[in-house]
Amino acid sequence: MKLDYNNHNGQIDDLIEALIAMSGTAHNQELIREMIITALRAGADKLDRGDLKIINSGMKELRYSFKLFSEYSERRKVSIFGSARIHHDDAAYQSAREFARRMVEEGFMVITGAGGGIMQAGNEGAGKDNSFGVNITLPFEQGANEWINNDSKLINFKYFFSRKILFVKEAEAIVMFPGGFGTHDEAFESLTLIQTGKSVVVPVIFIDPLGNNHWQGLEDYMREHLYRAGLISEDDMHLYRVTNSIDDAISEIISFYSRFHSYRFVKDRIVIRMNSALRSEQVAYLNQDFRDIVASGSIEQYQSTEAEYGEDATCGMPRLAFHFDRRSYGRLRLLIDMINGFH
């Protein structure tokens, strides 16, 4: 039977509905339906075989990865980036290993690219039980390092684009050690996604344990050639930190989640979940200092209910909610810092 999506009589829809029912899928059936239709349309469009292979591989890689990470959804995670060319006896390697070890002590798991250098240091410091390896298959490098190889939390990707999604989507913090093109690519990708609201605001930290201005030089460039040229705003400069100290980096991450827990958008309002409530005068101060990012109304604090949000880990947490302008994410980061700084 030839499938005609422009002039069909509902028979295709009936077959899809029957297929979904036979599969036993109970949740999000409308999204499953759309994915099936998209796959069928890709065939009807007579796409190039290479294009279809990209769609197929990307979808399979993401499905498997999301399923794996969902088993560890209750644990916060930090993505660690850095060069594969840094040797075991290098100070940067030792710092990355120590950073990962201490983040595990703080309850975090570690995500790396599974290769050598800084990636290996991250997996070594965290240990297999607390590590993910998000590996990319390349013709010249890289096999998975010994600290994550053959572990169930090692994922091998064919394409960079699907691999990148995991690094940002699953991380509550992103840390850059010295690295080359790939590390800089991930750094700017992470900042761009946060700046545009395509990813949530999380700590993004550049660590230069050698003190050789590897990252400070990049920040100087951005300030001189991006900020002063008007290509980024002053607020954008608050989306990251540069430090030589892993102590400062760890403190930055832990402090970020001291009172602040997470946020989500509900229709046209941002809802910020907190581990403890603010006093009324503190909410009033937020309204005064951050009125520039409130599109309408004011910042309000309230207590959630189970009926409102269902049974999950955030049920019962106090909330702040307001009509966010959806563009001032550097200012949103400062608001989160202020929430955490209140005593």
Side-chain angles (χ1 to χ4, degrees):
M1 178 179 62
K2 184 178 179 180
L3 304 181
D4 184 348
Y5 290 97
N6 295 316
N7 299 293
H8 70 81
N9 59 7
Q11 186 177 10
I12 296 172
D13 290 337
D14 292 341
L15 290 171
I16 292 173
E17 294 298 332
L19 181 62
I20 293 173
M22 289 175 61
S23 73
T25 300
H27 303 290
N28 301 309
Q29 290 185 355
E30 75 284 1
L31 295 176
I32 301 300
R33 184 182 303 111
E34 288 184 18
M35 285 191 282
I36 294 173
I37 291 172
T38 297
L40 294 175
R41 282 179 172 165
D45 291 340
K46 298 180 181 179
L47 297 182
D48 181 81
R49 182 175 177 81
D51 294 337
L52 290 173
K53 290 174 71 174
I54 292 174
I55 295 172
N56 183 46
S57 294
M59 187 171 181
K60 288 196 295 185
E61 289 175 349
L62 290 175
R63 184 212 63 82
Y64 176 77
S65 302
F66 292 161
K67 179 178 182 296
L68 176 62
F69 272 92
S70 70
E71 299 173 13
Y72 302 87
S73 60
E74 300 303 315
R75 296 279 305 277
R76 292 198 184 275
K77 304 168 192 70
V78 54
S79 287
I80 298 177
F81 298 102
S83 176
R85 304 182 185 190
I86 289 179
H87 298 295
H88 186 275
D89 57 355
D90 193 290
Y93 184 104
Q94 297 166 18
S95 293
R97 180 178 58 197
E98 178 66 8
F99 172 81
R101 184 189 70 79
R102 290 176 57 185
M103 288 306 300
V104 168
E105 290 181 350
E106 296 290 347
F108 281 69
M109 299 183 77
V110 164
I111 307 170
T112 82
I118 294 298
M119 294 172 281
Q120 177 172 315
N123 291 130
E124 180 182 356
K128 280 193 175 185
D129 290 345
N130 296 292
S131 285
F132 290 90
V134 184
N135 191 38
I136 185 72
T137 304
L138 298 174
F140 54 93
E141 59 176 306
Q142 62 210 15
N145 67 68
E146 61 182 295
W147 298 97
I148 195 64
N149 193 30
N150 296 321
D151 189 83
S152 62
K153 298 186 299 305
L154 170 66
I155 310 169
N156 292 300
F157 285 86
K158 183 175 182 179
Y159 298 110
F160 274 106
F161 76 86
S162 48
R163 178 184 186 239
K164 283 182 174 181
I165 292 173
L166 272 296
F167 278 127
V168 178
K169 175 184 177 294
E170 300 295 339
E172 278 82 15
I174 296 170
V175 172
M176 311 287 173
F177 282 87
F181 287 159
T183 304
H184 285 70
D185 173 53
E186 296 290 357
F188 281 108
E189 169 112 3
S190 300
L191 290 174
T192 299
L193 291 172
I194 294 172
Q195 179 202 44
T196 57
K198 294 298 183 181
S199 179
V200 297
V201 174
V202 299
V204 178
I205 306 172
F206 295 83
I207 303 178
D208 178 17
L210 304 179
N212 63 0
N213 290 327
H214 182 92
W215 293 123
Q216 187 60 53
L218 178 63
E219 182 180 43
D220 292 343
Y221 172 86
M222 291 192 292
R223 189 169 294 278
E224 178 67 27
H225 298 285
L226 303 183
Y227 167 57
R228 292 183 180 172
L231 302 177
I232 61 175
S233 71
E234 182 178 1
D235 293 340
D236 293 332
M237 306 295 286
H238 297 297
L239 294 175
Y240 66 90
R241 302 287 189 274
V242 177
T243 181
N244 294 330
S245 166
I246 63 171
D247 290 336
D248 290 346
I250 293 170
S251 177
E252 172 87 7
I253 296 169
I254 302 307
S255 295
F256 186 84
Y257 294 105
S258 55
R259 172 177 271 129
F260 169 80
H261 181 275
S262 56
Y263 69 84
R264 60 177 292 203
F265 287 96
V266 180
K267 295 183 179 179
D268 58 348
R269 296 207 306 171
I270 186 172
V271 177
I272 298 175
R273 309 173 181 108
M274 299 181 294
N275 295 312
S276 60
L278 300 177
R279 299 192 303 272
S280 58
E281 63 268 24
Q282 293 171 334
V283 177
Y285 191 85
L286 292 177
N287 272 296
Q288 176 182 341
D289 206 46
F290 291 94
R291 60 184 178 273
D292 58 302
I293 69 173
V294 180
S296 63
S298 61
I299 301 173
E300 300 174 344
Q301 180 173 232
Y302 67 98
Q303 196 76 22
S304 71
T305 65
E306 184 176 314
E308 224 180 335
Y309 290 96
E311 296 181 1
D312 60 35
T314 68
C315 183
M317 284 185 172
R319 261 92 163 153
L320 292 175
F322 62 95
H323 296 278
F324 180 47
D325 67 11
R326 293 276 190 147
R327 64 175 180 272
S328 304
Y329 287 93
R331 290 283 288 156
L332 179 62
R333 170 61 202 263
L334 291 177
L335 184 147
I336 293 171
D337 288 345
M338 185 168 289
I339 289 171
N340 289 322
F342 284 137
H343 298 291

